[in-house]
Amino acid sequence: MIKETQTRTIVKAVIYRFFSVVAIMLLSLLFGASMASAGIVGLIVIVVGTAIYYVHDRLWLLTGWARNDSGVDDIKRSVIKTIIYRAITMTVSYLIAIFIIKSSGSNAVLFAIAQALTNMTFFFIVERAFNFIEWGKIKPEPQVN
C-alpha cells in the first residue's frame, strides 16, 4: 500500500484551507457579518479547519479501502472522504454562524449548507488533483523472495 509523507498532507491542507478561508469569509459577509467578524471567522477556519483536515486525512491513510497499489484513490473513496469531512465541518460552520455572525437558527443552517457546498467542491478538486502529483508518496519496496 502506498503511504504519504506528513509534508504532503500538510501541503494538501494548506492549499485546501486557502480556498476554504476565502470562501467562508465571503459567505460571512453575504450573511451580514462585519469585516471584523469575517476576519475572526477566517482565523477560526484557518486554525480549527486545518487541524480537522490534517487529522481526517491522516486517519484515512490508515486504510487502503478504495485505493489502488499506486496510491491513487478511487472516486468513491474521494466522495466518502468528502462527505465525512463535510459533516464535521458543517457542524463547525453552524456554530460559527450562531456565535460569531450572530445568525438565527435557520440562517445558521443556510450558512452551513452554503459553506458545505462551496467547500465540498474545493475539497473534491484538491483530492482529485493530488492523485496525479507523485511528490510525497512513499512507495513500498519491492519484495524479493
Side-chain angles (χ1 to χ4, degrees):
M1 177 169 56
I2 297 285
K3 296 188 186 281
E4 297 180 3
T5 63
Q6 289 188 18
T7 304
R8 177 183 167 94
T9 305
I10 290 168
V11 169
K12 282 173 62 178
V14 168
I15 290 168
Y16 170 72
R17 186 60 37 216
F18 170 79
F19 289 116
S20 66
V21 167
V22 170
I24 201 165
M25 288 177 72
L26 291 173
L27 283 172
S28 297
L29 292 170
L30 287 173
F31 276 80
S34 66
M35 286 297 285
S37 291
I40 291 168
V41 169
L43 287 173
I44 290 170
V45 168
I46 288 170
V47 175
V48 175
T50 301
I52 292 169
Y53 185 100
Y54 180 82
V55 170
H56 178 262
D57 209 53
R58 296 305 294 179
L59 288 173
W60 270 93
L61 289 172
L62 298 176
T63 178
W65 176 78
R67 181 175 247 205
N68 70 23
D69 291 337
S70 298
V72 175
D73 293 353
D74 186 280
I75 286 182
K76 66 184 169 189
R77 178 181 171 105
S78 295
V79 169
I80 297 300
K81 277 179 73 174
T82 301
I83 291 168
I84 292 170
Y85 176 79
R86 190 51 38 208
I88 295 166
T89 58
M90 276 184 79
T91 303
V92 173
S93 294
Y94 176 82
L95 295 172
I96 285 171
I98 293 290
F99 295 109
I100 307 295
I101 302 173
K102 307 291 188 205
S103 293
S104 66
S106 59
N107 277 345
V109 168
L110 290 175
F111 178 81
I113 291 169
Q115 192 267 344
L117 292 173
T118 303
N119 283 357
M120 271 195 291
T121 303
F122 292 135
F123 186 94
F124 187 80
I125 290 168
V126 170
E127 282 293 306
R128 298 307 298 161
F130 267 82
N131 277 315
F132 302 101
I133 298 170
E134 292 298 314
W135 171 82
K137 289 184 179 178
I138 303 170
K139 297 183 178 167
E141 297 292 324
Q143 295 183 2
V144 179
N145 293 329

